[in-house]
Amino acid sequence: GVNSLGFCFCNNAAEVTAEFIDTLLEGISIPAVELTFCGKKIAHIAEIVLAKVEAAGIAKDEVRINFCIDPIVKNLATKGHFCCKDATGEKCLANLAELIKRTADYKYVRVVNVTGSTFSNAGSTIVEELAFTLAAAHDYLVQLTEAGLPVDLVARKIRFTFAVTSNYFMEIAKFRAARMLWANIVKGYNPEKECSCKMFAHAVTSTWNQTVYDPYVNMLRGTTEAMSATLAGVHSLEVVPFNASYEE
């Protein structure tokens, strides 16, 4: 039943070419499979992928792609800065705004990924993960609407990634609370369409919760975590391998 594929680009991301993407996606039907790209230089990769989609003549409403760009959490919250050449984040957010404009006609292409799992895997509680994640997402709303983008467009381009721990029932409740809270935040901006208030959530099982001492227990933990996320109604789910904490 898997109908979504994720690709993570690491140290070689700046060297990715159109030929590389053609090879990577060979045999993959873009209308049939959702694609997610994360890692480094994703804005660069986004331009190549979008050019490929346009050259193939695929209808824009049939393209389901997530480009995981998150300068506020992945950079600022974890490293204390946006990047060495952009201390204030103005350039990062301006480039993000341009990519949102570039994909405005693509209803199912998202370019902002609020990585709430960062907080959970740093040891936050469920309440703290919700608070910090929604605060970061709201910051994107503020910055991008102030840049002149309509709130309906910005909200539609945001994807959330939450971690799921073994706190079974509370994790189910977390996703339900997250959807309600995010809807209330977006409503404060008076969107034209009610569907703009919907949360698009991805879940990934906890790495904080993995043990290296009895790794097969991680299979049980991953199972209950995945079940919590599924029952909570997430859009997509990633189950971390049971030996991820000590194997490459």
Side-chain angles (χ1 to χ4, degrees), residues 36-52:
T36 298
F37 299 93
C38 64
K40 298 180 179 180
K41 304 291 182 182
I42 297 302
H44 162 67
I45 290 163
E47 288 297 335
I48 297 173
V49 173
L50 290 170
K52 175 181 174 63

Side-chain angles (χ1 to χ4, degrees), residues 214-230:
D214 189 2
Y216 294 102
V217 171
N218 294 334
M219 290 187 179
L220 302 176
R221 294 177 180 177
T223 298
T224 63
E225 291 163 1
M227 192 171 180
S228 291
T230 303

Side-chain angles (χ1 to χ4, degrees), residues 70-79 113-116 118-119 132-133 136 140:
D70 187 10
I72 291 178
V73 178
K74 293 296 285 185
N75 289 87
L76 186 61
T78 57
K79 300 174 184 176
N113 188 81
V114 187
T115 320
T118 299
F119 303 116
F132 300 150
T133 304
Y140 281 119

Side-chain angles (χ1 to χ4, degrees), residues 126 164-173 209 224-225 228:
I126 286 174
V164 191
T165 68
S166 292
N167 196 342
Y168 187 77
F169 291 109
M170 289 299 290
E171 288 291 352
I172 296 173
N209 198 35
T224 63
E225 291 163 1
S228 291

